[in-house]
Amino acid sequence: MSGLRFLIVSLMAGSVLSAEYFWGRCPSVPPMNEFDMKKFEGLWYVVEAFDNGERCMSLNITRSDSPDTWSIVEEKENGLFNALRLPHSTFNTGKISVPDKNNSAAMAVIWRLSGIAGHASFTVHNTDYEQFASVFECQNVGLFHRQTGLVLSRTPMLRVDLRQMARIHTPDIKVAYYKRVSQSPCKYRRRQPEESRPAPPLHNQDDQWATFNGVPNS
């Protein structure tokens, strides 16, 4: 097996965040201005991603001992875990770094499962820190790249207008790629207060996603 083919197979077998694969280089996504990583740290629920097969997915970001470096933990229930009836667990871990302190929202991440391909960009496009965030990750691999857009929420559910606001609207990113990530019912492990913000109560009513104050879920 050629080196490039082995790399592609390894990435797809150990793919982390839900992604779309394209030929060519990663598209440019503008990072947020005056970004504050300290406010961004903590627990985020993934409510939309570039895959309609995800469920019960979250990211937990904490500062590491190294300067300008953070640990990221991805948890989810999907794919192989569901097929094998395995419980909700830590699916992947990684490290986030800030290559340019003057552009702190344009970060880099290296994941344990796909680190063979090196770092990927990890760009915070928009956030209010308290309710929602928009993140775009992209990794160049040979002649193609993998990209994923995430809509994050501090709670398992997010208002429709905030989800629409969090989606990236640029010529190179199609809004149609965003798919809902089900957050109900989920069995999240209880986190200690020092690890992240307190987890909100779990929601078990999927129909609350259908509308919010009469606004269709779109």
Side-chain angles (χ1 to χ4, degrees), residues 194-212:
E194 65 270 18
E195 291 182 314
S196 65
R197 299 185 181 209
L202 298 182
H203 296 269
N204 293 313
Q205 297 180 8
D206 258 351
D207 58 354
Q208 294 185 46
W209 278 90
T211 61
F212 183 88

Side-chain angles (χ1 to χ4, degrees), residues 166-186:
R167 294 168 187 156
I168 299 172
H169 297 82
T170 68
D172 296 321
I173 307 298
K174 296 182 179 180
V175 175
Y177 291 154
Y178 287 97
K179 304 297 182 183
R180 169 192 162 191
V181 175
S182 176
Q183 291 288 349
S184 172
C186 299

Side-chain angles (χ1 to χ4, degrees), residues 32-43:
M32 179 179 175
N33 293 323
E34 299 180 358
F35 176 68
D36 188 339
M37 186 59 171
K38 186 174 182 180
K39 293 181 180 179
F40 188 74
E41 296 171 2
L43 174 64

Side-chain angles (χ1 to χ4, degrees), residues 70-154:
W70 288 261
S71 297
I72 182 169
V73 176
E74 176 192 9
E75 293 189 11
K76 63 180 177 181
E77 297 175 10
N78 86 316
L80 182 61
F81 289 104
N82 287 343
L84 297 179
R85 300 183 180 277
L86 295 177
H88 194 285
S89 63
T90 298
F91 179 71
N92 203 5
T93 59
K95 292 289 184 182
I96 296 175
S97 58
V98 182
D100 183 359
K101 293 183 180 180
N102 294 322
N103 193 10
S104 58
M107 296 174 280
V109 63
I110 185 165
W111 293 96
R112 176 175 54 86
L113 291 184
S114 59
I116 187 175
H119 287 82
S121 64
F122 189 89
T123 304
V124 179
H125 177 66
N126 189 18
T127 185
D128 67 352
Y129 303 105
E130 297 297 329
Q131 298 180 88
F132 76 93
S134 171
V135 170
F136 182 75
E137 181 184 331
C138 194
Q139 186 174 40
N140 292 310
V141 185
L143 300 177
F144 78 103
H145 70 272
R146 68 173 187 90
Q147 61 175 249
T148 184
L150 303 174
V151 173
L152 307 179
S153 173
R154 289 296 190 185

